[in-house]
Amino acid sequence: MTDLELATSRTWAEIDLDALEHNAKTLRALLNPSAKFLAVVKANAYGHGSIECARKLQQFGADWLAVATIPEGITLRQNGITLPILCLGQTDTNLAPLMAEYEITQAVGDSQNAKALSDYVASAGKTLRIHIKVDTGMSRTGFYWPDDEAGKISVAREIYEVCNMTGLYAEGLFTHFAVADDDPEFTRLQLRKLLEAEKYLAGLGYKFEILHSAASVGVLNYPEAHLNMGRFGLVLYGYASTETGNEDSDLGLQPVMTVKSRITAVRNLPAGATISYGRTHTLKRDSVIAVLPIGYADGLHRVLSNNYGVKVHGAVCPVLGRVCMDMTMIDVTDIPGVMAGDVATIFDGELMPIAAKNAGTIIHELVCAPSMRVPRVYVENGIMRI
Ligand SMILES: *Cc1c(COP(=O)(O)O)cnc(C)c1O
């Protein structure tokens, strides 16, 4: 048995690197030409495999990559990634030596954090690149930009001090939108606050090289928010909307991930049989039930029990009863000729938005869900490999 056969013997995620490249090209064309292209590959590239995706994006000509943690950045560096890497998450300052060693640019959202990084750098004789985060309304991390004049002056001074700390090079200033998908008024307010922070810093004599604000939906909806860099996450992986996928979009993005599962058994069960834990489904007719080797431990959320359908031979087959840790039952009564060994499509570009809706979540969470147990199989130049 080949490694590829082994990887596709149970449940796997097909990652179409050609689609990733297509999406990157499409998005690059939408971005203000003078702006840099940052590809977000945090969380194992949204579940798609960060090393392979980062390689493809580096080859494509992305300008920057972003991760959420320093270990994520180190993994990329150890696998031949030379692009600038921005760590978006705030990091324990004990990791400063690693930031320096692996040349990872760190987001900084408060003075204490900055001071601790600077102290390390001062003693080690090194320089760290940082991007200063401004909290303009997300209330997560960053220097909170206030509404009153005295407050603005004071926060600007605080940022200015950070920019001048020994060993820190403040290359960027950025913010993150809270409602880029559905509230133009608040989003524009957030953008104005970032630009105001920049202006106050310029007034103090500090100019940033890179000003950035927009993630996927922000780039699509607000050309004025492109500034010097767009941060592309979900759109790169093929979805224009976090909820509806590509339903209302004519961008032609191609979903990169398809999760598949190989049917382990096909069983004839009589009317009245009850399916799975909790006996939440009773067969109304004599039925043909296929058993799928995928469960919530693989990333098929249990909340989809009795509330989802997967594709077999192109037809949608309802999930019956509860999703178990490792197995799930579906109804294939109406699909002739289904056999053990046939492949079911669990998530693809069409199913992902339905799963998100039925699970009460967003596509971001679903693409991140396939677990360590699910091998990623890559398609590049039309050829499948592991
Ligand atoms: C995750 C993240 C992104 C990417 O978000 P998408 O909606 O997937 O494009 C961009 N910026 C920051 C700060 C993030 O944390």
Side-chain angles (χ1 to χ4, degrees):
M1 184 177 242
T2 66
D3 289 346
L4 181 61
E5 283 166 344
L6 179 60
T8 58
S9 63
R10 182 180 175 269
T11 290
W12 67 99
E14 280 177 21
I15 307 302
D16 186 344
L17 295 172
D18 301 327
L20 180 67
E21 186 175 3
H22 166 89
N23 296 337
K25 264 190 198 135
T26 305
L27 296 163
R28 166 77 90 186
L30 287 178
L31 185 65
N32 182 341
S34 66
K36 292 180 191 301
F37 187 103
L38 177 146
V40 183
V41 294
K42 65 189 179 189
N44 197 27
Y46 291 43
H48 294 67
S50 67
I51 296 169
E52 291 288 347
C53 291
R55 273 189 196 145
K56 192 73 188 175
L57 291 159
Q58 178 163 285
Q59 212 181 333
F60 157 76
D63 301 301
W64 276 81
L65 297 173
V67 295
T69 74
I70 297 301
E72 287 178 346
I74 292 173
T75 298
L76 297 180
R77 287 282 180 254
Q78 288 174 336
N79 286 276
I81 301 301
T82 54
L83 287 178
I85 297 175
L86 175 60
C87 179
L88 297 165
Q90 195 141 319
T91 304
D92 187 318
T93 49
N94 289 322
L95 277 68
L98 295 170
M99 295 170 195
E101 182 181 350
Y102 291 96
E103 296 186 22
I104 298 168
T105 303
Q106 176 59 51
V108 169
D110 63 71
S111 296
Q112 241 181 315
N113 194 262
K115 179 75 172 58
L117 293 177
S118 167
D119 285 349
Y120 161 73
V121 169
S123 63
K126 296 190 169 149
T127 304
L128 281 182
R129 285 208 291 184
I130 61 169
H131 284 209
I132 306 265
K133 177 95 170 266
V134 185
D135 178 6
T136 58
M138 174 77 176
S139 304
R140 194 165 63 175
T141 52
F143 292 84
Y144 184 80
W145 193 252
D147 291 320
D148 63 298
E149 185 58 26
K152 288 174 191 174
I153 291 170
S154 143
V155 175
R157 285 214 183 103
E158 199 186 342
I159 294 175
Y160 182 72
E161 272 174 32
V162 169
C163 295
N164 288 295
M165 283 179 183
T166 313
L168 300 188
Y169 172 53
E171 174 188 46
L173 186 75
F174 78 110
T175 195
H176 193 50
F177 296 141
V179 280
D181 40 359
D182 60 6
D183 187 341
E185 202 178 320
F186 194 76
T187 303
R188 293 202 178 101
L189 173 71
Q190 285 197 265
L191 179 59
R192 277 201 304 279
K193 287 187 172 191
L194 177 71
L195 296 175
E196 198 171 57
E198 187 215 16
K199 203 179 80 192
Y200 275 63
L201 266 299
L204 292 170
Y206 199 91
K207 282 290 279 177
F208 293 92
E209 254 179 73
I210 310 179
L211 195 66
H212 51 114
S213 66
S216 293
V217 178
V219 174
L220 299 187
N221 293 350
Y222 302 92
E224 71 272 31
H226 291 187
L227 308 175
N228 307 125
M229 187 157 79
R231 303 191 303 268
F232 295 98
L234 191 71
V235 278
L236 264 181
Y237 306 102
Y239 295 95
S241 155
T242 58
E243 274 147 23
T244 57
N246 293 317
E247 202 176 287
D248 310 316
S249 163
D250 51 12
L251 287 179
L253 296 177
Q254 298 173 0
V256 175
M257 174 190 286
T258 307
V259 176
K260 295 183 175 176
S261 191
R262 201 175 285 283
I263 294 170
T264 41
V266 177
R267 310 179 62 220
N268 297 297
L269 294 175
T274 57
I275 311 289
S276 194
Y277 290 119
R279 306 180 66 202
T280 58
H281 183 85
T282 304
L283 295 182
K284 288 169 202 67
R285 55 176 178 171
D286 293 349
S287 303
V288 187
I289 303 302
V291 182
L292 295 173
I294 181 170
Y296 54 80
D298 300 289
L300 180 60
H301 291 304
R302 188 170 176 275
V303 70
L304 293 172
S305 300
N306 288 311
N307 188 23
Y308 187 54
V310 304
K311 289 181 194 165
V312 177
H313 298 180
V316 175
C317 307
V319 167
L320 299 186
R322 291 209 177 126
V323 171
C324 308
M325 187 184 287
D326 318 299
M327 288 186 250
T328 298
M329 277 63 80
I330 58 171
D331 183 358
V332 295
T333 311
D334 298 325
I335 316 212
V338 177
M339 294 191 301
D342 288 356
V343 174
T345 300
I346 311 300
F347 298 121
D348 63 9
E350 260 169 38
L351 293 174
M352 207 68 93
I354 299 171
K357 180 158 179 279
N358 294 7
T361 186
I362 54 174
I363 294 172
H364 284 88
E365 188 182 355
L366 292 182
V367 290
C368 288
S371 66
M372 297 262 290
R373 190 162 76 178
V374 178
R376 271 61 170 177
V377 168
Y378 296 91
V379 180
E380 191 169 22
N381 303 321
I383 294 164
M384 189 178 286
R385 60 168 170 82
I386 53 172

